[in-house]
């Protein structure tokens, strides 16, 4: 089964990548290859996010016991996800290569620029591949499928983040769609990447008859440390989104006042 789902992911995500680039080149011949590759990256990320969120919701709804109930998607979707992570890193490098190919830079410089420009996303992907995959597949044993499903739903904000970046690339950041999308981005990010952690603590507390405030003192220290490790970058990214939204609001207000 492992090879089956990993194989499906290895076919699905590169195939979707190639098809998206081909379709965009046909539908928008005036766009450069770089434009198509960047938009394709956003589209495939959104598709993966929808699949992950859907899997997470199915798992959460199927696990009545937050600790011991099992669902096959909590393990198998992770194998399907691994090829996406690798494909996305390769796509980000392809974007950097397309962006700098006319500058006659050495490959070492291009690679260094790639690491510098995408350090947060690369770190995010490597943490998933090197830490979260072993934890979800082996180290947690037979427990916690419910919480794996919760982590999957954190991807709900990704389509809105991707749409915002596509609109910026198309120079549509002045439109009403961009502003509405920004509201949905902040809302889904806050609910599914920040409030997600209190929700998991509350769910465990409901199962064990504990109040939310007592849960951190009744679970292993390693669980609290893992959650702190996961939520820290989410808080940082959310602060960046809030600063960006504040700048947009200030700009719009200045235009109205002028």
């Amino acid at each position: 089964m492992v090879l089956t789902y990993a194989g499906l992911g290895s076919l699905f995500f590169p195939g979707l990548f190639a098809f998206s680039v081909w379709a965009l080149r046909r539908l928008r011949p005036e766009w450069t290859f770089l434009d198509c590759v960047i938009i394709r990256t956003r589209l495939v990320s959104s598709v993966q996010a929808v699949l992950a969120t859907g899997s997470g919701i199915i798992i959460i709804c199927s696990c009545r016991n937050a600790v011991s109930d099992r669902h096959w998607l909590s393990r198998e979707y992770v194998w399907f996800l691994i090829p996406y992570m690798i494909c996305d890193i390769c796509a980000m490098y392809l974007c950097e290569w397309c962006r700098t190919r006319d500058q006659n830079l050495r490959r070492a410089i291009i690679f260094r620029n790639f690491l510098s420009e995408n350090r947060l996303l690369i770190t995010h992907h490597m943490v998933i591949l090197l830490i979260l995959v072993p934890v979800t597949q082996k180290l947690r044993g037979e427990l916690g499928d419910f919480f794996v499903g919760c982590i999957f739903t954190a991807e709900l904000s990704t389509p809105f983040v991707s749409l915002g970046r596509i609109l910026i690339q198309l120079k549509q950041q002045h439109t009403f769609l961009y502003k509405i999308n920004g509201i949905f981005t902040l809302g889904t990010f806050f609910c599914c990447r920040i409030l997600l952690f209190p929700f998991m603590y509350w769910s465990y507390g409901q199962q064990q008859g504990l109040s939310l405030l007592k849960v951190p003192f009744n679970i292993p220290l390693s669980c609290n440390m893992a959650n702190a490790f996961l939520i820290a970058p989410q808080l940082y990214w959310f602060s960046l989104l809030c600063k960006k939204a504040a700048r947009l609001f200030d700009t719009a207000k200045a235009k109205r006042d002028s």
Side-chain angles (χ1 to χ4, degrees):
M1 293 294 286
V2 170
L3 292 177
T4 299
Y5 286 100
L8 285 174
S10 300
L11 292 174
F12 178 76
F13 290 111
L16 183 59
F17 169 81
F19 174 77
S20 299
V21 172
W22 174 82
L24 288 171
R25 296 284 282 178
R26 293 290 300 272
L27 295 173
R28 291 290 186 270
E30 70 276 12
W31 288 356
T32 66
F33 180 70
L34 174 61
D35 290 333
C36 293
V37 170
I38 293 175
I39 292 178
R40 181 251 46 132
T41 303
R42 309 301 183 201
L43 291 174
V44 175
S45 295
S46 297
V47 170
Q48 190 284 134
V50 171
L51 294 175
T53 301
S55 299
I57 292 173
I58 291 172
I59 295 168
I60 292 170
C61 293
S62 300
C63 293
R64 294 182 178 274
N65 188 305
V67 178
S68 60
D69 279 2
R70 310 298 313 282
H71 195 283
W72 63 273
L73 273 173
S74 66
R75 292 186 183 274
E76 303 307 337
Y77 188 79
V78 174
W79 295 120
F80 184 73
L81 177 66
I82 291 174
Y84 162 76
M85 293 295 173
I86 298 172
C87 182
D88 198 48
I89 292 174
C90 294
M92 286 188 288
Y93 180 78
L94 178 60
C95 291
E96 184 63 29
W97 179 82
C98 290
R99 190 180 292 112
T100 59
R101 61 180 174 176
D102 295 332
Q103 301 177 21
N104 295 320
L105 298 177
R106 290 183 299 167
R107 290 184 180 179
I109 296 177
I110 295 175
F111 187 71
R112 188 173 64 216
N113 292 340
F114 158 70
L115 294 177
S116 177
E117 293 292 329
N118 301 280
R119 59 185 179 277
L120 287 178
L121 276 177
I122 293 173
T123 301
H124 172 264
H125 286 9
M126 295 309 296
V127 165
I128 290 176
L129 291 173
L130 300 179
I131 298 179
L132 292 185
V133 169
V135 168
T136 58
Q137 300 304 91
K138 294 293 182 183
L139 300 181
R140 68 186 176 92
E142 302 297 319
L143 303 175
D145 284 16
F146 173 87
F147 301 109
V148 174
C150 289
I151 297 298
F152 286 167
T153 63
E155 290 293 315
L156 180 61
S157 62
T158 299
F160 301 104
V161 174
S162 296
L163 177 58
R165 291 175 176 172
I166 290 174
L167 291 173
I168 291 174
Q169 183 179 344
L170 299 177
K171 296 180 173 55
Q172 297 296 310
Q173 57 266 47
H174 61 283
T175 61
F176 180 72
L177 174 60
Y178 181 79
K179 295 174 183 177
I180 291 296
N181 182 72
I183 294 173
F184 277 102
T185 299
L186 286 174
T188 54
F189 198 100
F190 182 72
C191 291
C192 296
R193 297 204 177 204
I194 308 298
L195 292 184
L196 173 69
F197 292 91
F199 171 74
M200 290 193 292
Y201 278 72
W202 176 83
S203 298
Y204 179 82
Q206 291 292 105
Q207 191 72 51
Q208 302 298 320
L210 299 169
S211 67
L212 176 62
L213 295 179
K214 290 182 178 179
V215 171
F217 304 101
N218 287 271
I219 61 176
L221 178 62
S222 58
C223 294
N224 289 318
M225 293 179 63
N227 286 328
F229 177 76
L230 290 173
I231 198 174
Q234 312 307 326
L235 291 171
Y236 172 72
W237 282 327
F238 185 68
S239 70
L240 294 181
L241 289 173
C242 289
K243 289 178 181 178
K244 186 175 181 180
R247 288 196 300 268
L248 179 65
F249 177 79
D250 290 341
T251 302
K253 183 178 179 181
K255 288 182 177 179
R256 289 197 304 267
D257 294 340
S258 61

